[in-house]
Amino acid sequence: MAEEQPVGSILLADCGTVITRVVLLEHVAGQYRFVAQGEALTTTEYPWADISEGIRHAAGQIEEVTGRRFFGADGDLIIPEVGSLKGVDIFAATASASQPLEVVLGGLVRDLSLASAQRAAAGTYSLVKAAICRDGTKPVDEEEIIRTILDTTPDVVCIAGGTDGGATAPVLELVNTVTLACSIMDPGARPQILYMGNSRLRRQIVKAVKGQAELRVADNVRPSLTVENLASAQEELDALYIQKKMGLMPGIETVSSWCSTPLTPTASAFGRLIHYLWHLGDPNRGVLGIDVGAANTTIVAVFDGHPFLTIHGGIGSAFGGRELLETKGEEAIARWVPESMSSEELLGILINKEMHPASIYQETRELWVEQAVVREAIRAAVELARPGWRPGSAQPYPHLMPLCETIVIAGGAMTHAPRPGQIALMVLDALEPVGITTLVLDVHSIAPALGKVAAITPLATVEVLDSGALANLATVIAPVGEARRGELILRVNVAYDDGSNYDVDVHYGDLEVLPLLINQEAVVTLRPQRNFDVGLGGPGKSGKRRISGGLAGLIIDARGRPLRLPRRPELRHAQIRQWLWDVGG
């Protein structure tokens, strides 16, 4: 039997809120390679109102570089590849450009069923407009629930409650009230109902809704008091997002006609790649992925083979700064800026960025504000995500971040930062990782594309990763323990492959950056003092670790966990400036 011929060329597009990116992969010399990438403004809005135009613009940049022609005279994509440098064999796309799914959540207990429903929604491109909770034995306030649904006019009402075989009457009462609200609304404006509660009530739920609204049913998000099951509910919400939001983007019919597989939400494809990376590493440690987009911040954590996807909708590097200002306070953003700044100037910068999300900053102070927003966007997303994580043995310190072998960093605000050290510092300030971690940068904005192509041609993802599509940003060593500022906590020896050595004494409060270039390797010997834990098996444990260099070198973050900033503004500004200087930012 003849062997199946590999796909020769693959074109992948990711349509974001502001930027559309297109990536070309080719089978060259027996291996898939990343060839080129193009970027253009997303064209869902006036004057284009056609998302396919942004793909054409970005692909045009690749055409100029490679000489390959993707589109025919009629403007349609040429599939499959014809002859040499004409068309592609496979086209696939991901998108996050559409508006989020608007959701109202309902549950019986705020910290159980409702919390699980919130985490289920947070794993999709959903915006929670309101939450309804009975709060135990308190009777349902029908008028308040009906008013909430009529005022918010959501796309879907998610109802959770009752363990499998548990509460029945309160759940049915909540469903009946939601159904009554739907029956009052105009048929064309009625939300769908997604039931994700007590699975033994499904037949009764179907009878209760009785055609007053379209009903979808998912597995119980809280089948028992100690078990959470979000996957089925998230699949249903993703399907609704694709149907109600992605499916309505102008020009989506054209893009879908090009695709070899159905369109996928960007976050789902990104999550698939992070899950794959976990399988390549230490199973006792986690892998984390961060994608800071213009309007959404995505966090993917994988522990013990289980992926946990969280999307903080509406909060990104361009949009959401004012919301952070309102919810977290001005100090939350201002504390990361190395100079004093008035409230009016800070607000003005945030508003200007929302009005012109594709603009490039002209002043350093504007860049500092963007990077401060990125830090707080990541922190807010992690705060939303962490209650749903089950890190197991990867979490020796419950009040700190779990141990992560790799942290993948994506998003335009990261990849387009002026210096690698600034990217590393944003991640360290926002996540505060512990132990030994490798920071990996999606420098070509290819991560969602690789996650998507893994479902089509898995070998392409493997070989493109092996060829260096993701760049090592830095290896980070973050000791955990308590000491006074300035006290010796760690002795480090770096033995380079060329025979040279480098010794450094690390004191509590230091942020050390040691020279270790990308593609350079060294053996690092760590001797913690004062019972500090450097991630080698426990407090006070010494050892050696072979590590690879990165764009920002080897970073030893001895600033302490949790990170504490000086309260006095002048001292804080000086400290932030010093950290920027330390990392070369």
Side-chain angles (χ1 to χ4, degrees):
M1 181 180 294
E3 293 185 5
E4 182 180 351
Q5 293 298 314
V7 174
S9 55
I10 305 172
L11 193 66
L12 303 160
D14 177 39
C15 305
T17 306
V18 176
I19 299 295
T20 290
R21 297 178 175 88
V22 174
V23 172
L24 175 64
L25 309 181
E26 286 187 3
H27 197 258
V28 180
Q31 184 174 4
Y32 285 100
R33 300 278 184 176
F34 164 74
V35 175
Q37 183 237 36
E39 291 187 0
L41 290 176
T42 297
T43 51
T44 54
E45 304 293 337
Y46 177 84
W48 304 279
D50 185 344
I51 197 168
S52 67
E53 284 301 312
I55 296 175
R56 289 188 179 93
H57 297 164
Q61 298 175 10
I62 300 178
E63 289 178 328
E64 292 178 6
V65 171
T66 63
R68 179 184 288 271
R69 197 174 113 210
F70 295 119
F71 298 94
D74 59 355
D76 219 8
L77 187 66
I78 302 171
I79 301 179
E81 185 173 343
V82 180
S84 177
L85 300 179
K86 188 175 181 181
V88 290
D89 289 324
I90 286 179
F91 175 82
T94 59
S96 59
S98 55
Q99 294 296 314
L101 197 68
E102 296 186 354
V103 176
V104 169
L105 302 177
L108 299 188
V109 181
R110 192 169 300 279
D111 294 332
L112 291 174
S113 57
L114 186 61
S116 294
Q118 288 174 325
R119 283 190 282 274
T124 64
Y125 287 106
S126 297
L127 177 63
V128 177
K129 303 285 287 185
I132 302 165
C133 186
R134 289 189 76 246
D135 289 327
T137 59
K138 181 181 177 182
V140 170
D141 186 338
E142 287 191 353
E143 184 179 344
E144 181 181 347
I145 292 175
I146 292 171
R147 187 185 305 114
T148 297
I149 294 173
L150 294 178
D151 289 345
T152 56
T153 60
D155 298 303
V156 58
V157 179
C158 300
I159 301 176
T163 57
D164 285 345
T168 58
V171 178
L172 289 170
E173 188 179 1
L174 183 57
V175 171
N176 285 329
T177 304
V178 171
T179 302
L180 177 60
C182 293
S183 68
I184 298 173
M185 302 174 70
D186 183 84
R190 291 178 186 176
Q192 295 192 24
I193 297 176
L194 175 58
Y195 178 69
M196 53 179 74
N198 185 348
S199 61
R200 297 189 185 180
L201 293 178
R202 288 180 177 176
R203 290 186 179 180
Q204 297 179 60
I205 298 299
V206 172
K207 291 180 180 178
V209 176
K210 55 190 175 189
Q212 297 298 328
E214 184 176 337
L215 175 66
R216 287 175 176 253
V217 177
D219 294 343
N220 193 351
V221 292
R222 183 71 75 154
S224 71
L225 293 177
T226 58
V227 175
E228 190 172 68
N229 177 25
L230 308 180
S232 177
Q234 289 177 341
E235 287 176 6
E236 292 292 338
L237 287 170
D238 267 341
L240 283 169
Y241 172 71
I242 293 170
Q243 172 193 334
K244 288 183 167 290
K245 300 299 180 179
M246 286 177 60
L248 298 180
M249 288 190 295
I252 198 65
E253 299 87 355
T254 300
V255 177
S256 296
S257 70
W258 299 341
C259 288
S260 305
T261 60
L263 246 70
T264 302
T266 300
S268 299
F270 183 62
R272 188 180 296 120
L273 177 68
I274 303 304
H275 196 184
Y276 168 74
L277 292 175
W278 179 86
H279 288 282
L280 303 181
D282 183 351
N284 295 316
R285 294 162 62 90
V287 173
L288 202 64
I290 310 163
D291 185 359
V292 184
N296 304 287
T297 299
T298 302
I299 301 286
V300 182
V302 182
F303 301 105
D304 295 328
H306 301 292
F308 303 92
L309 170 63
T310 303
I311 304 167
H312 198 178
I315 303 293
S317 59
F319 302 99
R322 283 190 293 171
E323 183 175 336
L324 286 171
L325 206 65
E326 294 172 2
T327 57
K328 300 289 186 179
E330 179 183 325
E331 183 60 26
I333 296 176
R335 61 178 171 165
W336 302 111
V337 177
E339 289 184 1
S340 60
M341 183 175 293
S342 68
S343 301
E344 293 77 11
E345 182 183 4
L346 176 59
L347 181 59
I349 291 173
L350 296 176
I351 292 174
N352 187 64
K353 186 61 177 178
E354 289 189 3
M355 293 177 64
H356 308 282
S359 61
I360 298 174
Y361 289 123
Q362 302 299 307
E363 297 183 7
T364 306
R365 291 164 69 84
E366 295 174 334
L367 176 67
W368 288 338
V369 170
E370 180 189 67
Q371 294 186 351
V373 169
V374 167
R375 287 174 169 90
E376 287 304 311
I378 296 173
R379 281 176 165 261
V382 170
E383 184 180 335
L384 181 64
R386 279 195 64 173
W389 291 354
R390 297 192 297 272
S393 60
Q395 190 162 7
Y397 304 100
H399 62 294
L400 302 176
M401 280 291 291
L403 293 172
C404 293
E405 183 171 32
T406 304
I407 298 176
V408 180
I409 306 157
M414 298 291 202
T415 58
H416 294 159
R419 295 181 178 86
Q422 293 177 0
I423 307 170
L425 189 59
M426 281 190 279
V427 173
L428 295 180
D429 290 345
L431 290 179
E432 302 184 27
V434 299
I436 303 173
T437 302
T438 301
L439 304 184
V440 176
L441 182 64
D442 181 18
V443 66
H444 301 298
S445 302
I446 198 175
L450 290 180
K452 176 64 177 178
V453 81
I456 307 169
T457 310
L459 182 62
T461 297
V462 175
E463 293 183 346
V464 171
L465 284 173
D466 288 344
S467 67
L470 304 180
N472 273 9
L473 177 62
T475 296
V476 176
I477 300 171
V480 176
E482 293 290 338
R484 294 181 180 178
R485 186 175 180 83
E487 289 184 338
L488 177 67
I489 63 169
L490 179 64
R491 295 185 186 275
V492 182
N493 172 263
V494 183
Y496 298 98
D497 286 349
D498 63 3
S500 60
N501 279 267
Y502 188 92
D503 293 301
V504 63
D505 289 344
V506 180
H507 301 85
Y508 193 72
D510 289 351
L511 184 62
E512 296 279 355
V513 179
L514 308 184
L516 191 62
L517 302 176
I518 195 165
N519 297 326
Q520 186 179 18
E521 294 192 349
V523 175
V524 177
T525 304
L526 303 173
R527 298 184 179 87
Q529 313 292 307
R530 306 183 63 82
N531 215 33
F532 268 70
D533 187 350
V534 293
L536 293 175
K541 294 290 183 68
S542 300
K544 296 182 179 181
R545 180 69 65 89
R546 187 170 187 84
I547 63 174
S548 299
L551 299 170
L554 168 61
I555 300 176
I556 303 176
D557 186 354
R559 298 177 295 170
R561 297 290 186 265
L563 187 64
R564 294 182 176 89
L565 296 172
R567 293 186 177 182
R568 292 174 55 186
E570 61 272 18
L571 295 179
R572 186 172 64 248
H573 295 156
Q575 183 68 87
I576 296 294
R577 286 196 296 271
Q578 181 62 51
W579 290 341
L580 283 167
W581 176 268
D582 290 338
V583 299

